Amino acid sequence: MGLFFVYILKSSVCLAIFYLFYRLLLARETFHRFNRFSLLGILLLSCLLPLVEVSVKQETEVHQTMLTLEQLLMMADAVNATEAGASAETATVTWIQVALLVYLAGIVFFAFRNVCSLVRLLMLLKSGKKEDIGSYLPSRKERVTLIVHNRDIAPFSWMGYIVISRKDLEENGREILIHELAHIHNRHSWDLLVADVCIFFQWFNPASWLLKQELQNIHEFEADETVIKEGVDAKQYQLLLILKSATKLFSVLLASKRP
């Protein structure tokens, strides 16, 4: 367990540093596809770099600190529980063991949360009515399952499914469906799945949460660009986005005031 925890710590440091560079150098760029793959590349590099061993002739302070940390974590695996509390060194190991327990507790918590989210998603997919998306977008032949709900829910897509309320479908169906189809065609769900795996193991790392949020923002920009390219009036679409954002904010405020 000590080796794995060392790997996670190194990976989280790499992720934080790379994400910081991204925010400084690329975050303001409007090349959304390039930014998207840059973020995915950051995730990949942060996973691979800790596996690379670099030997140096003269150890730096950072290198010595990392070695000390690794040694302590290795001791946490090797020290017998009956020897705990005997010396200051053993006390240090005990604190590391506590940190490992907290880390494992976080993983268990997020595993439970992800399972609950998956169950809710499956219930939404099963409880809605399946309809032919071709009846709303006649010019497009899509192998996508459209799930329509009579209750008011925010539209979303996941893998090959689009979930939408009857009200949204009747009022702004074309714009919303094109938007969600863009998410599916660009395989945005896979990006979020990779980001969720990263958060699962690095739940303590703010960079992992911020990176996922950045990915979601890029996904929305890409989907919005697709809608505009499909011939939807830009001003009308902007008004729709503002209306949806205001409605969502009002719903959140209303829910927060309920006893």
Side-chain angles (χ1 to χ4, degrees):
M1 184 63 191
L3 276 175
F4 178 73
F5 194 53
V6 169
Y7 167 78
I8 291 296
L9 288 178
K10 289 182 177 180
S11 179
S12 63
V13 170
C14 291
L15 183 63
I17 293 174
F18 289 147
Y19 179 74
L20 179 61
F21 275 105
Y22 169 83
R23 290 294 304 172
L24 292 174
L25 301 177
L26 297 175
R28 296 182 180 180
E29 298 294 332
T30 57
F31 300 103
H32 303 307
R33 185 169 294 273
F34 177 78
N35 288 358
R36 174 192 173 193
F37 286 107
S38 296
L39 290 173
L40 294 175
I42 287 174
L43 284 174
L44 180 62
L45 281 176
S46 65
C47 292
L48 295 180
L49 279 183
L51 300 175
V52 178
E53 294 185 3
V54 180
S55 58
V56 293
K57 294 182 179 180
Q58 185 175 1
E59 295 181 353
T60 62
E61 292 184 4
V62 175
H63 190 256
Q64 291 175 349
T65 302
M66 291 303 296
L67 281 178
T68 304
L69 179 61
E70 290 187 37
Q71 291 169 357
L72 288 173
L73 290 170
M74 292 304 101
M75 289 170 61
D77 278 345
V79 171
N80 194 299
T82 58
E83 299 175 356
S87 63
E89 180 180 348
T90 310
T92 304
V93 172
T94 302
W95 281 109
I96 293 174
Q97 290 174 337
V98 171
L100 289 173
L101 288 176
V102 172
Y103 173 71
L104 291 176
I107 286 184
V108 171
F109 170 78
F110 284 102
F112 178 76
R113 195 187 74 161
N114 290 340
V115 170
C116 291
S117 298
L118 180 60
V119 171
R120 287 196 298 267
L121 174 61
L122 293 177
M123 290 177 63
L124 276 175
L125 296 180
K126 289 184 177 181
S127 60
K129 180 182 178 182
K130 293 184 179 180
E131 295 192 11
D132 182 17
I133 195 172
S135 59
Y136 300 97
L137 297 174
S139 61
R140 304 182 63 164
K141 303 296 181 182
E142 305 288 347
R143 298 182 61 182
V144 173
T145 303
L146 178 63
I147 307 294
V148 183
H149 282 267
N150 291 324
R151 58 193 179 95
D152 190 18
I153 60 173
F156 69 92
S157 58
W158 179 253
M159 299 302 179
Y161 293 89
I162 295 178
V163 180
I164 188 173
S165 67
R166 177 71 61 185
K167 179 182 177 182
D168 285 334
L169 188 60
E170 293 175 352
E171 293 179 354
N172 305 286
R174 180 172 179 267
E175 293 84 354
I176 295 175
L177 290 179
I178 293 175
H179 180 97
E180 298 303 333
L181 282 172
H183 285 307
I184 294 175
H185 290 164
N186 290 323
R187 295 178 173 83
H188 290 163
S189 297
W190 289 103
D191 294 2
L192 298 180
L193 189 60
V194 171
D196 282 336
V197 171
C198 176
I199 290 176
F200 180 75
F201 289 105
Q202 296 189 26
W203 55 266
F204 58 89
N205 187 4
S208 62
W209 296 90
L210 293 172
L211 189 144
K212 180 183 177 180
Q213 183 62 52
E214 195 76 28
L215 268 177
Q216 289 175 318
N217 293 337
I218 292 174
H219 292 169
E220 294 304 316
F221 286 133
E222 286 187 329
D224 292 340
E225 287 180 351
T226 301
V227 174
I228 300 302
K229 289 178 181 178
E230 288 287 333
V232 175
D233 182 76
K235 291 184 178 180
Q236 181 182 354
Y237 185 65
Q238 287 176 349
L239 289 175
L240 174 62
L241 293 178
I242 294 173
L243 178 62
K244 289 298 179 184
S245 299
T247 303
K248 183 178 180 180
L249 178 61
F250 177 75
S251 300
V252 172
L253 292 175
L254 186 63
S256 64
K257 292 182 179 180
R258 290 176 181 172

